[in-house]
Amino acid sequence: QVHLVESGGGLVQDGGSLRLSCAASERIFSTYTMGWYRQAPGKERELVGFITAGGKTVLITTVEGRFTISTDIANNAMYLQMNNLKPEDTAVYYCNIIGKQTPWGQGTQVTVSS
C-alpha cells in the first residue's frame, strides 16, 4: 500500500502564502492523477484540485488563481502552492490518488488568521 505524508502547513495571516508538500512511499506521481483535498472544521472533505500524470491541473473556482499544483517527479513529490490565503482556506489538507483506494495520510493543518 502507498503511504502518503503531507507537510508544510502552519499559521499564516490573511493574504499570506504556504507551500504544502506530499511525499509518497512509491513512485506514483508520473502514473496517477493526484488530488489535493481539504477538510474544514465541521465540514466534509472536499477536493481542492488535481494534477494528471501528464501535468494538467484543475482547481476549484474558490482557489483558482491563488493555488497552484505541481509535481517533482525526480524527487517523488507533489506540491500545493497557496498564495493570498484567506480565513476560509483554514482546513486540514490531504493528498491522495484519485480513483484508487489509498489510505489517507495524517494531513497538514493550515490556519489562516484574519
Side-chain angles (χ1 to χ4, degrees):
Q1 257 181 352
V2 176
H3 294 281
L4 300 165
V5 179
E6 303 87 354
S7 62
L11 172 63
V12 296
Q13 291 188 329
D14 192 350
S17 297
L18 284 171
R19 189 177 82 153
L20 307 184
S21 298
C22 172
S25 59
E26 299 175 18
R27 304 196 73 82
I28 58 174
F29 299 109
S30 60
T31 303
Y32 297 103
T33 294
M34 297 294 303
W36 278 104
Y37 299 78
R38 67 186 180 186
Q39 187 166 20
K43 295 187 177 181
E44 293 191 355
R45 187 178 286 149
E46 66 169 347
L47 178 65
V48 174
F50 62 84
I51 183 166
T52 68
K56 178 180 178 180
T57 61
V58 175
L59 293 154
I60 59 174
T61 55
T62 52
V63 306
E64 206 168 23
R66 300 189 296 122
F67 291 10
T68 304
I69 299 175
S70 61
T71 52
D72 183 339
I73 304 302
N75 289 310
N76 199 37
M78 178 174 69
Y79 305 102
L80 180 66
Q81 177 67 45
M82 306 186 296
N83 299 325
N84 190 22
L85 281 160
K86 303 177 181 181
E88 52 264 41
D89 296 317
T90 294
V92 180
Y93 284 72
Y94 304 86
C95 60
N96 212 322
I97 302 173
I98 290 185
K100 180 178 172 66
Q101 192 168 2
T102 305
W104 293 95
Q106 83 287 352
T108 186
Q109 175 71 49
V110 172
T111 303
V112 185
S113 63
S114 57

